[in-house]
Amino acid sequence: MTKQGVVVPPPAEAAVAVPPNSAPLFPYPPPRAAAPGAAVRKKCLRMGAAAGWVESMRASSPTHARAAAALAAGADEDRRAAWMVEHPSALSKFDQVVAASKGKQIVVFLDYDGTLSPIVDDPDAAYMSDTMRRAVRSVAKHFPTAIVSGRCRDKVFEFVKLAELYYAGSHGMDIKGPAKGSRHTRAAKGVLFQPASQFLPMIEQVHESLVEKTKSIPGAKVENNKFCVSVHFRCVDEKSWSALADTVKSVLKEYPKLKLTQGRMVFEVQPTIKWDKGKALEFLLESLGFADCADVLPVYIGDDRTDEDAFQVLRRRGQGVGILVSKHPKETSASYSLQEPAEVMEFLLRLVEWERLSKARPKW
Ligand SMILES: O=P(O)(O)OC[C@H]1O[C@H](O[C@H]2O[C@H](CO)[C@@H](O)[C@H](O)[C@H]2O)[C@H](O)[C@@H](O)[C@@H]1O
């Protein structure tokens, strides 16, 4: 097997649009693979599955009163302990994680917001620290590394500023290889894949319409992510959430080829193509020369619902390590957890150190 990547054609179904209106508005929770022994997680999510869309907006708010009440009652502690048994810390189980990589090439996939940078009120100010940047740079020296983000690719590059990485922006719908070339691959230059390019004019239109229609709702912020649009409600008063959701839904009625999902206090408007972060992960593995290979270990770290598509791909392939970044129990297909970006950085640095030492170790 070669690690010298050759850009491969996308999987056949990549650009196939699903029938208009086939995706319900506010599909919450999003469809996911049932993870084994998920009784605790099912319990955690039962409320979300049964609730309406405003309830699902509340559920994405960490300060929601119900969470505080549950914590006060100690219920949260028990739930967290049970959840940690199923999703142990990737730091405390570091040896187990790297043992899985024996004889395999590790490929690292990193979400941006909430994974490399802390969540902040202003999406334009979600900077990553210089120490995190140094950690990611070190990782990329040792392993092929990709950023997989809901943001538009240019914007996430402006934050990360590392030319040696792969970038998959717009939830994986805009993939580009390292600008400079990489020691891990020759598939280095130019845009590799944009499966939703025909949606660009529609996204422009819906962006304009959402900006116009939501401007009377204080705190609402609409972000153009090139192949998708984010409508943020983090700074919107809870009393206006219902009005905001109604507004977004009514705009989307005019666009049956777009679907609406929900992230961390944000609505995500995306084309209804069969493409997501999981497909992007598979595409990147193929591009790097690891299609249908047993000797690769993808490590995917992310915090958001959209990252679940990638975790599910890893579960389906029976290959790789999915790590959810979360302080709280959440329904997830990831195997391990880390609490916050600071722990992500610690994990990345340990990975680099482990690789450095294992190269230095005599092979006998
Ligand atoms: O896939 P990601 O890299 O995690 O991107 C998902 C969305 O992240 C950003 O929004 C989130 O982070 C903001 C800054 O911390 C926060 O204010 C917001 O509430 C979060 O939802 C980004 O602004 C979106 O465009 C991305 O889709």
Side-chain angles (χ1 to χ4, degrees), residues 111-115 117-126 148-152 156 171 223 225 230 232-234 263-266 268 277 303-304 306-307:
D111 167 58
Y112 182 73
D113 289 280
T115 297
S117 68
I119 293 292
V120 291
D121 283 352
D122 179 3
D124 295 331
V148 186
S149 174
R151 288 183 183 261
C152 92
V156 78
H171 298 291
E223 197 182 359
N225 282 328
S230 299
H232 294 272
F233 56 89
R234 185 169 294 277
R264 294 181 72 170
M265 304 199 79
V266 66
E268 305 277 16
K277 288 183 172 184
D303 73 314
D304 211 348
T306 54
D307 298 309

Side-chain angles (χ1 to χ4, degrees), residues 60-73:
S60 79
S61 164
T63 55
H64 187 235
R66 266 183 304 95
L71 189 66

Side-chain angles (χ1 to χ4, degrees), residues 31-83:
R32 313 178 161 182
V40 174
R41 280 164 293 168
K42 278 194 191 128
K43 198 173 161 199
C44 299
L45 262 232
R46 205 173 301 138
M47 183 256 331
W53 45 263
V54 173
E55 193 56 29
S56 104
M57 292 166 85
R58 288 200 187 104
S60 79
S61 164
T63 55
H64 187 235
R66 266 183 304 95
L71 189 66
D76 229 35
E77 289 301 316
D78 294 349
R79 202 176 69 166
R80 180 168 162 70
W83 187 80

